[in-house]
Every structure is written in structure tokens, then in C-alpha cells.
Amino acid sequence: MTYQSQRISHWYFKAALLLFALQVVLGLWLAINYSYTLPQSIVNVFSFATARAIHTNLLVLWMLLGFMGGTYYIVPEETQSEIYSPAIAWFQLIALVVTGVVAIVGFVFGWTQGRPLLEIPRPLDAVVVIGALLFLFNVGMTMFKANRWTVVQGTLLGGLLFLALLYLFGIPFYKNVVIDWYYWWWVIHLWVEGAWELVTGAILAFILIKTTGVDRHVVEKWLYVEIGLFLFTGIVGTGHHYYWIGAPKYWLWFGGIFSALEPLPILLMMIDTIMHVKKRKLEIKNPFTFTLAVGCAVLHMIGAGVLGLLHTLPQINYYTHGSQVTVAHGHLAFYGAYALLNFLVFYYAMPKLKGIEVYNDTKGKIAFWTMSSAMSLMAVTFGIAGVVQSYVERMLGMGYMTAQHYMRLWFEVTLVLGIFFFIGMLFMVYDLFTLKPAKVKK
Amino acid sequence: MTKKVALWIFLVGTISSSALFLWLTWDTHRQVEFLANVDKLSDDVVAGKRVFEKYNCNDCHTILGFGAYYAPDMTKVVKRIGVDGIRYRVKSPEKAFANSSRKMPQQNLTDDEIEKLIAFFTWVGEIDNNDWPPQDSAKRLTRSEEVMVASAGLSPGAAVYQRRGCMNCHSLQGKGGSVGPALDKVGKRLKQAEIRRYIRDPKAVNAKAIMPAQKDLSNKELDEVARFLANLK
Ligand code: HEM
Ligand code: HEM
Ligand SMILES: [Fe+2]
């Protein structure tokens, strides 16, 4: 760490970690809802719906905090200047965390917009928008003042702008449910398969340049190609969510073909990450950083690329749409692409923020392998449940609850795996809060 | 490849995809007018959508396949269980799902809210959405009917039971719905003729009956399913 204002990012990371811990607890509760019959009295007071809203909103919130913290860490080094206004950065962190807490308490009392993943009520949306504008202003001003443009900075700023712009489409009340879902996906799909990929590409490129010493021009050239392909396939690829909503039939073609190409940039990203790590010029200080970078690249490919591709063609999606197959993909994709990216940022930046050059990575490794194995297996169990559901409910037409009975075993196994994931999570959160220098080997 | 070529790949890729996407968006708006019967999008339908959002139904149920996967899809719910079926379940979920392994919360909706919801579900059920979901598709039923008929040598009554939605409410060997009683031993208590009469018009037998009259069964199907059930002892 060379710039004072980078310190703010430390608080973003800590807040993100605590919210992540809470998200996982709620995930366990959801799995309990699936595995056991809860009494009506509990369901009336704290239903699956409420818990799910909290689980998914916390997910988005902690990841955004992680991205913002990462941005505040990276931008000073890239621009070689202090952040334009540390005060804004502080204000914005507090505003976002308070909004999140109010939203979650609100959900418990039934204050909700009632649209999956976008449950945050409209008045709070306004706060989110103001926070986002301040953030963009702060980051943008830092970059403009420094005027030392790099591709990494440009991609980061572009991705964040795109991300904030898309959020606006999720705010209005749409009378027509078809149009509602049409724009809902501008937020959800264009986020995870567009804007967030840009942010990820930029952050990954930055960390690779810093840790491997590979020539910046090489990394940035690849970055251009990747984000170009991400947006080319991902924008029209939104159509893979428009097959069954009452939109025109041509979406079966456009959505199917473009989204089937979406794994290409992810594959490219995986290959170039591995190549850069292999061809590194600098000496290895913290080998765990590379474990995380390669783990992220590989699980990103499996969760998003492979599991996404499996059900993206309309012929298959007709039977798997809105089933547990979607859940299998949603979990491994979010974990592989964005949770691991955040962990990479945490393990890259937090030791430096504490002035630790080489950290002890024993607990971190245990955490990484436990969480990654548990989540990969959860994708398998959710996936099996989903295939059973697609077959029994959709192909045989035997009714929703009948199919659920056949699936129950797999939810129980998921719950057990979730407990392992939870333990891994505890290791990581504890580790990051108590990082220690490695004992010097002589 | 130079960095400049890479930049061009980025620009051309992004701009071409965005342009195509915006054009298709414009056209989709145009076509949704008739694909979703926007002329029938009344104030009641809109009010029903607001009720659906107010009670966060969508974080348990999917609609058009989106949302949570904890409970049945709502797209064709009117066709599947009828408006009375919806009224009863939303009004008294604690009774309707008392025996179910999965519960729906009692959220004390007013009668007016429930009527608005029904208007909303009715309108959604008529959207031309490429015949999704498959389990509620008319096409799938006829195709599976053929399969059922082919294997009907065993028990045509079992096929009627499975096909005509009895499973949504009744269970056999623990599989199926729980609004109605399990039918595993129904033959012990009721004779074939009694069963037949009950299915055709439950209220005629028991004035308080909750089961809706199964009007869409042909006489032949009625005989078959009654014979099948009467033999379950
Ligand atoms: C990191 C990137 C990705 C993330 C985080 C992600 C996450 C998700 C999530 C959470 C959903 C469920 C949304 C909902 O209905 O609530 C979803 C749906 C879907 N995703 Fe992805 N995804 C990613 C990339 C991809 C890619 C590259 C493909 C295709 C090749 C893909 C194909 C699909 C499809 C077809 C669905 C719809 C499933 C359905 O019909 O129910 N995804 N994704
Ligand atoms: C103990 C670990 C976890 C368990 C047991 C768990 C369980 C669940 C369950 C049961 C659902 C509801 C699915 C439905 O509607 O039927 C859900 C939703 C979701 N969870 Fe988790 N979760 C866990 C951790 C995570 C983590 C770490 C992430 C992200 C990295 C995540 C991301 C999501 C997403 C994106 C959804 C919405 C899925 C969709 O719409 O398809 N979960 N989770
Ligand atoms: Fe998508």
C-alpha cells in the first residue's frame, strides 16, 4: 500500500465479509425449509420468501461492497494519485450499509417491492442511486484529475457506469408483467453477463499485472478482446431469458445462438489467466493468491460457461426453465466468478493494508478448498434435483409437489454440504480479520 | 494481433450487439401488444399485480418461470386449479396445505385482493408464451394420453387419475397433493358407485365438500377411475 486513501477499502472489505457470513446463514435456513416440514406458525412469521429475499440481497450487497472496495484500492495505484474525496468514500460506505440493514429489517416486516432479487423498496432505491452517483463521481474525478489512463482504468470505470445505469431499469413499476420481466433481465442478466464481467476483467488484469510481472500491454490486449466478446455475446444473449415470457419467437434464435457463444470469452479469460500465472516474471510471494486466481478462472468457466451452456438452448430450457437446474447454475456461477474474485481481492489487498508482505495462508487454504468443494458438490446436488424435477414435473406432468417428494433427498444432502460451506466460510472470515505474517523460513 | 486490433474487436463487437439489441427491444414492445393481449390489461389486472408484489408471492412461486422455486408456477394456475381453487388456497392456506410437507403462509388477504389476484392470473394465463410450462401444455397432455392409452392395458383408471389432476390434491403411497385425503385405502370405505357419484358432484354427497366437481371427465373416464379407486383396499 502506497497511498493513504487506499485505507478506506479495508472497511469496505470488512463490511462485505460480515454480510457474506450472514448470507450463508440464510442459505442454510433456505435449505432447511426444503429439507424439513416447518410448522405453519413459523411459516407465517418468517417465511421462505423473506429468507430468500435476504439471502439474495445480501449477496448483491456484499459483492458490490467488495467491488467498490477493490476499486478504491486499485484506482490510486493505477492513477498514481490519492482518491479525489475520501469523505465521499466514507459517506457512501455508511449510506450503503445502512440502506442494506434497513432493507433487511424491512423485509422481515413485509416492506418489499416484491420482485425477486430487486425487493429493495423504491425509496431505498433512491438512496442506492445517490450512493452510486457519488461513487462514480469520486472514482471518475480521481481518474480525470490524474489523467493517466490505462485500459484497466477505462474498463473498470466503463463497467461501473454500465452497472449503475442498468440498475435504473429495475426501479419503475411496470403494469405489464411481460415488459416487467423484459427489463428485470436488463438488470440481472446484463449485470452478471455484462457489467460485472467488465469489472471482473479489470480487477483480475490489475492483480495479474502486479503479481506476475507479465507485460501490461499483453494483459491489456487480452482484456480488450475479452470484454469485446463479453459484450458482443452477452448483450443480445439476454434473449435466453425471453423464450417463455410472451416476447416474439425470434428470441429463440437470437437468444439461443448468442448466448451459446457466451462461454467463449470466459474460456479465453481462463486460458490467459493460467498462461500469465505460468509465465510469471516476478518471484512468488504469496502463492495462495495464484490459487485463488486460477480457482476463480476455472470455477467461473464451469459454473457460468459450462452449466450455463447446458440449459441455454430453448429445446432444453423448455424443460429446465425455473427449476433447480437454474439454482445449480446460479450458485456455482456466482461463487466461481464473483465470490472467488472478491476473495482474491481480499487476500491480495487486506494483507497489504495491514502492512503484511507475506502472510500465513494455512487457514485461507483450508477455507478455499472447503468452500470450493462444497459449492461444486452443491451444484451437483441441486443439479440432480433439477433433472428429477424437469423429468417428473415437466416431462411426465405429474404435478409440482409430486416431483418435490422425489427431490427431497437431494435437498437434505445439499443441507449437509451447506454446513461444510459454512465452516469453510468461518475459517476465511476469521482468517481475514486476524491475518498474520508468515514465519520467515531460513 | 496488436493492441489496436484488439480495441477494434471491442468497439465493433459492442456496438453491433447493442444496435441489434435495441432494435429488437423496439420490435418486442410492438409485438407484445398482441402477444400479451394488452387490450385486456384492465385496472383490476394491474391491481392484482400489485397485490402479487405486496405479499412477495414471487419469492416462493415462479411466474413465467421466474422467481423462487419453492412452490408451483403461477403462469397457468387458473387453468390448473380453477378460480375457486385459487380462492380457497389463498384464503385458507393453513387448511388447504395442512397435510402438505410444505406450507404457504396465511397472509390475511382481503376478498377484494384475492379477486384482483385472480384477474391478474387469468390475464397472465392467456399470454402467448410459446406454450410454457410443459406440464400445463395442452399438447403435452394429448401426447402423454397416447402413451397412457398404450400402456392402459394395465389400468386405464390409473391413467385417468394421473392425467386429470387428481394428484394435485390427492396422494397415493405418499406421492401427490395434500388438499384432499390420501386415497390408498379408499376402496375399503366406498363402493365403486359411491366413488363415481362423489367425483362427479361432491356437494351432492356432502354439502360441505371442498373438492370441486370434476366436470371435465367423460362418463367412461369416470367409470374407469372409480373402478381403479374402488380396488384400492
Ligand atoms: C458469471 C456469470 C453468470 C452468473 C453469475 C449467472 C447467474 C445466473 C442466475 C442467478 C440465474 C437465475 C436467475 C433467476 O431466474 O432468478 C441465471 C439464469 C440463467 N443463466 Fe446464468 N449466470 C452467468 C452466466 C451465464 C452464461 C454464460 C450462460 C449461458 C451460456 C447462462 C445461462 C443462463 C440461463 C439459460 C438461465 C435461465 C435459467 C432458467 O431458464 O430458469 N448464464 N444465471
Ligand atoms: C450454505 C450455503 C448455501 C445454501 C444452502 C444456499 C441455498 C439456497 C437456496 C435453497 C436458494 C433458493 C432457491 C430457490 O428459490 O428454490 C438459494 C438462492 C440463491 N443463492 Fe444460495 N445458498 C448458499 C450459499 C450461497 C452463496 C455462497 C451464493 C453466492 C455466491 C448463493 C447465491 C444464491 C443465488 C444467486 C440465489 C438465487 C438463485 C436463483 O434465482 O436461481 N448462495 N440459495
Ligand atoms: Fe443470462
Side-chain angles (χ1 to χ4, degrees):
Chain A
M1 194 194 72
T2 25
Y3 299 91
Q4 280 306 313
S5 49
Q6 280 178 305
R7 270 182 209 292
I8 300 162
S9 63
H10 207 178
W11 293 97
Y12 277 81
F13 298 149
K14 287 181 182 170
L17 278 167
L18 293 179
L19 296 174
F20 168 52
L22 192 58
Q23 186 221 340
V24 174
V25 174
L26 268 298
L28 288 178
W29 176 248
L30 293 178
I32 289 174
N33 274 259
Y34 266 110
S35 304
Y36 301 100
T37 301
L38 300 181
Q40 187 77 35
S41 53
I42 294 185
V43 175
N44 283 348
V45 183
F46 187 67
S47 73
F48 179 90
T50 312
R52 189 185 195 270
I54 301 178
H55 180 63
T56 51
N57 278 269
L58 279 173
L59 164 73
V60 176
L61 184 61
W62 81 256
M63 290 196 169
L64 289 179
L65 285 173
F67 286 153
M68 288 178 172
T71 306
Y72 280 134
Y73 185 87
I74 290 174
V75 167
E77 289 195 10
E78 281 287 293
T79 58
Q80 300 173 16
S81 67
E82 296 286 348
I83 285 170
Y84 176 73
S85 162
I88 291 186
W90 273 109
F91 172 78
Q92 200 223 305
L93 170 67
I94 294 166
L96 207 59
V97 172
V98 170
T99 314
V101 172
V102 172
I104 286 161
V105 175
F107 293 158
V108 176
F109 293 98
W111 192 39
T112 170
Q113 210 184 100
R115 295 153 73 219
L117 306 185
L118 302 181
E119 291 94 345
I120 296 188
R122 293 189 173 86
L124 293 182
D125 277 339
V127 184
V128 174
V129 171
I130 294 170
L133 286 176
L134 286 173
F135 172 69
L136 289 170
F137 173 76
N138 209 7
V139 173
M141 282 307 283
T142 315
M143 290 182 182
F144 279 107
K145 262 181 67 184
N147 204 13
R148 244 180 232 281
W149 292 98
T150 61
V151 181
V152 169
Q153 272 179 61
T155 308
L156 189 57
L157 186 64
L160 292 169
L161 269 172
F162 190 31
L163 193 164
L165 183 73
L166 290 169
Y167 189 73
L168 300 178
F169 290 93
I171 297 178
F173 173 81
Y174 299 94
K175 288 185 180 173
N176 184 333
V177 77
V178 178
I179 301 297
D180 192 347
W181 287 111
Y182 191 87
Y183 288 108
W184 188 85
W185 285 107
W186 282 39
V187 188
I188 307 304
H189 169 100
L190 287 178
W191 262 13
V192 298
E193 288 154 72
W196 289 32
E197 293 283 13
L198 300 197
V199 176
T200 300
I203 293 179
L204 200 59
F206 171 83
I207 294 183
L208 286 175
I209 292 169
K210 292 282 168 173
T211 53
T212 63
V214 171
D215 189 25
R216 180 180 274 268
H217 284 288
V218 178
V219 177
E220 293 194 333
K221 189 176 73 186
W222 282 107
L223 184 57
Y224 266 141
V225 177
E226 282 157 18
I227 60 175
L229 280 177
F230 270 126
L231 293 174
F232 177 71
T233 59
I235 293 179
V236 178
T238 316
H240 66 173
H241 304 293
Y242 297 160
Y243 301 154
W244 327 115
I245 67 169
K249 282 215 171 31
Y250 51 66
W251 283 114
L252 300 181
W253 288 96
F254 285 113
I257 293 170
F258 277 78
S259 70
L261 297 174
E262 281 183 38
L264 279 181
I266 306 180
L267 184 66
L268 208 58
M269 198 185 235
M270 180 175 91
I271 293 172
D272 88 67
T273 306
I274 294 174
M275 295 274 283
H276 294 332
V277 170
K278 273 203 174 142
K279 293 201 180 139
R280 63 182 169 258
K281 296 185 183 133
L282 298 178
E283 117 192 67
I284 311 176
K285 283 196 188 135
N286 290 304
F288 184 50
T289 316
F290 295 129
T291 312
L292 281 168
V294 173
C296 173
V298 171
L299 286 183
H300 187 173
M301 182 61 206
I302 298 178
V306 178
L307 293 188
L309 186 65
L310 280 181
H311 61 150
T312 203
L313 296 178
Q315 293 82 347
I316 295 173
N317 193 261
Y318 186 62
Y319 294 102
T320 60
H321 176 48
S323 73
Q324 294 295 327
V325 171
T326 311
V327 181
H329 156 68
H331 276 86
L332 199 59
F334 258 111
Y335 177 77
Y338 303 125
L340 282 178
L341 180 86
N342 269 293
F343 302 164
L344 172 64
V345 173
F346 299 161
Y347 272 102
Y348 174 75
M350 286 174 89
K352 294 196 170 44
L353 288 163
K354 283 191 175 169
I356 300 173
E357 192 163 347
V358 180
Y359 56 87
N360 180 339
D361 59 12
T362 320
K363 286 200 209 71
K365 277 190 185 145
I366 298 176
F368 168 79
W369 287 105
T370 315
M371 285 192 290
S372 301
S373 333
M375 191 49 93
S376 305
L377 290 172
M378 274 167 64
V380 174
T381 51
F382 275 134
I384 296 175
V387 171
V388 171
Q389 181 177 16
S390 306
Y391 182 68
V392 176
E393 184 190 3
R394 279 88 189 276
M395 298 181 88
L396 297 182
M398 285 173 71
Y400 178 87
M401 280 309 286
T402 313
Q404 296 294 316
H405 285 122
Y406 289 108
M407 292 149 69
R408 197 160 185 167
L409 168 69
W410 298 103
F411 290 122
E412 288 162 4
V413 182
T414 306
L415 177 58
V416 174
L417 293 169
I419 293 171
F420 277 96
F421 187 91
F422 174 76
I423 295 170
M425 179 278 291
L426 288 183
F427 263 91
M428 187 185 73
V429 174
Y430 178 76
D431 188 36
L432 283 169
F433 273 92
T434 59
L435 278 171
K436 300 224 170 43
K439 295 203 181 67
V440 192
K441 285 183 209 111
K442 289 255 167 72
Chain B
M1 186 178 54
T2 61
K3 208 164 161 183
K4 201 157 174 204
V5 175
L7 174 62
W8 275 103
I9 293 182
F10 165 69
L11 288 176
V12 172
T14 308
I15 294 172
S16 62
S17 196
S18 308
L20 177 59
F21 188 60
L22 290 176
W23 177 58
L24 293 175
T25 298
W26 173 79
D27 187 70
T28 299
H29 270 281
R30 204 172 55 85
Q31 294 208 37
V32 163
E33 290 290 314
F34 51 89
L35 287 170
N37 308 303
V38 169
D39 50 326
K40 290 193 205 148
L41 186 79
S42 65
D43 290 346
D44 278 0
V45 174
V46 176
K49 182 169 183 284
R50 287 193 191 272
V51 175
F52 190 65
E53 291 174 3
K54 176 178 168 195
Y55 292 100
N56 208 14
C57 312
N58 216 175
D59 260 329
C60 279
H61 292 275
T62 45
I63 190 160
L64 296 169
F66 304 128
Y69 318 115
Y70 191 67
D73 186 79
M74 292 283 107
T75 314
K76 307 271 183 204
V77 66
V78 174
K79 189 179 142 200
R80 195 164 60 236
I81 59 174
V83 289
D84 277 336
I86 298 176
R87 269 190 205 107
Y88 172 61
R89 287 167 176 78
V90 178
K91 183 96 193 152
S92 332
E94 75 286 358
K95 282 191 217 138
F97 305 120
N99 305 323
S100 175
S101 57
R102 214 174 272 174
K103 312 289 182 204
M104 163 160 152
Q106 168 54 280
Q107 302 194 82
N108 302 312
L109 275 74
T110 64
D111 289 340
D112 182 52
E113 283 177 327
I114 296 178
E115 293 314 309
K116 301 272 157 62
L117 267 176
I118 287 173
F120 173 59
F121 289 145
T122 308
W123 176 79
V124 170
E126 278 160 16
I127 295 172
D128 178 0
N129 72 337
N130 295 328
D131 205 22
W132 194 90
Q135 65 270 26
D136 296 328
S137 155
K139 260 195 241 138
R140 191 200 63 77
L141 274 184
T142 42
R143 214 184 317 129
S144 84
E145 261 165 6
E146 287 164 19
V147 179
M148 290 289 184
V149 171
S151 63
L154 259 179
S155 166
V160 174
Y161 172 82
Q162 193 179 41
R163 220 173 54 222
R164 288 301 191 171
C166 317
M167 289 186 98
N168 286 331
C169 296
H170 294 284
S171 66
L172 283 179
Q173 289 159 4
K175 304 275 157 33
S178 56
V179 174
L183 294 177
D184 297 283
K185 301 215 164 84
V186 64
K188 266 200 180 134
R189 253 178 334 103
L190 301 175
K191 293 203 190 64
Q192 187 177 332
E194 289 167 329
I195 295 178
R196 190 183 192 287
R197 212 170 131 227
Y198 199 91
I199 300 171
R200 182 58 97 205
D201 191 1
K203 287 231 164 38
V205 180
N206 167 3
K208 287 203 204 114
I210 290 162
M211 171 162 147
Q214 303 293 307
K215 291 186 198 117
D216 50 355
L217 265 69
S218 68
N219 285 337
K220 181 157 175 296
E221 282 177 318
L222 200 55
D223 287 336
E224 285 166 351
V225 76
R227 188 177 317 129
F228 165 66
L229 292 176
N231 283 320
L232 296 177
K233 287 180 185 160

